[in-house]
Amino acid sequence: MSSMTPLALEGRAVVGARLASPSAARNRAPIASALAERLAEGARVLEIACGTGEHALACVSARPDLVWTPSDPDPASRASADAWAVEAHGAIRHALDIDVMRQGWAEGLSADAVFCANMIHIAPWEAAEGLFEGAGALLAPGGWLYLYGPFLEGDATAPSNLDFDASLKARHPGWGVRALADVDALAASCGFERAERLDMPANNRLIGYRRSAPGRRTS
Ligand SMILES: C[S@@+](CC[C@H](N)C(=O)[O-])C[C@H]1O[C@@H](n2cnc3c(N)ncnc32)[C@H](O)[C@@H]1O
């Protein structure tokens, strides 16, 4: 990792190398369904912060034409993603070691879409910046960056997300549920425009940013 910030991992059960996340068990079907309706035929998807790797398997099970590459800076997460990937019969590539706070992480990579669930609120804001800068560098115009997770949306913010924000900040002052307006502004500075905002279970959102133009920032 490029900072001293601890990696926050979701709650997990362990079966050999395969890790099982209760939250992924709850949200993987709605995430896979939403992405399956949106991703282009044969899309190459780079997943940032894959955690256990269960979202990758759910998504390629829903859309076997996808070519999915998970990534995570945490070695146990990568081992778990590789172990789950065996069930995908080649549709899920070997998990990459990507820390989006590392300058230039996107060099040599290309994809049609980037997907990142539940990371930007539980990492420093610099991780969100690194995510958008790198995604802006590796996606061509028309490519998509999908974020899944909770967001602050002014008066429309769910009370549970305000409580979650407070608990995150108590754990680490650099963490916190991000304001969607701040993420939109960051996206715009990196050449993205928000084109989708989908309500998901438990007051989460799937936010779709489309790569529109070269951004001011590059990785
Ligand atoms: C709460 S878990 C979410 C995992 C999975 N996406 C999910 O929704 O179940 C947060 C993940 O973010 C990853 N992470 C934290 N900081 C990161 C960084 N700077 N770059 C990439 N991934 C990071 C952690 O290793 C962890 O797997």
Side-chain angles (χ1 to χ4, degrees):
M1 288 291 294
S2 55
S3 78
M4 295 305 289
T5 306
L7 281 182
L9 305 172
E10 71 282 37
R12 298 163 165 193
V14 180
V15 183
R18 293 181 181 185
L19 305 175
S21 154
S23 69
R26 289 190 296 272
N27 61 32
R28 65 190 175 204
I31 288 173
S33 172
L35 289 179
E37 292 173 5
R38 287 164 172 78
L39 293 167
E41 179 74 22
R44 299 163 303 147
V45 182
L46 174 64
E47 182 181 6
I48 298 297
C50 69
T52 63
E54 294 166 285
H55 290 134
L57 183 58
C59 290
V60 301
S61 297
R63 281 281 306 276
D65 58 294
L66 299 176
V67 179
W68 194 284
T69 304
S71 76
D72 202 286
D74 173 51
S77 297
R78 294 197 300 277
S80 178
D82 287 345
W84 284 115
V86 171
E87 296 191 15
H89 308 293
I92 302 177
R93 302 291 199 247
H94 182 58
L96 302 179
D97 180 3
I98 294 178
D99 174 354
V100 293
M101 291 174 64
R102 193 177 66 228
Q103 189 71 24
W105 66 264
E107 282 169 17
L109 299 177
S110 67
D112 302 304
V114 173
F115 170 63
C116 180
N118 295 316
M119 188 276 282
I120 65 169
H121 60 276
I122 202 153
W125 176 246
E126 288 75 14
E129 293 179 323
L131 172 63
F132 275 95
E133 288 165 9
L138 70 88
L139 290 171
W144 287 84
L145 169 55
Y146 287 102
L147 296 184
Y148 174 89
F151 291 89
L152 302 181
E153 297 179 88
D155 292 343
T157 305
S160 61
N161 283 338
L162 293 174
D163 293 344
F164 187 37
D165 180 49
S167 72
L168 288 167
K169 289 185 166 109
R171 288 171 65 189
H172 191 287
W175 298 353
V177 177
R178 306 306 178 188
L180 185 55
D182 291 343
V183 182
D184 288 348
L186 170 61
S189 77
C190 295
F192 289 88
E193 61 184 6
R194 172 152 62 87
E196 288 240 48
R197 176 195 166 283
L198 190 64
D199 289 341
M200 300 292 282
N203 296 311
N204 288 296
R205 306 278 182 262
L206 182 72
I207 307 293
Y209 292 98
R210 188 168 41 216
R211 182 86 167 89
S212 51
R216 290 196 301 273
R217 304 160 182 251
T218 51
S219 188

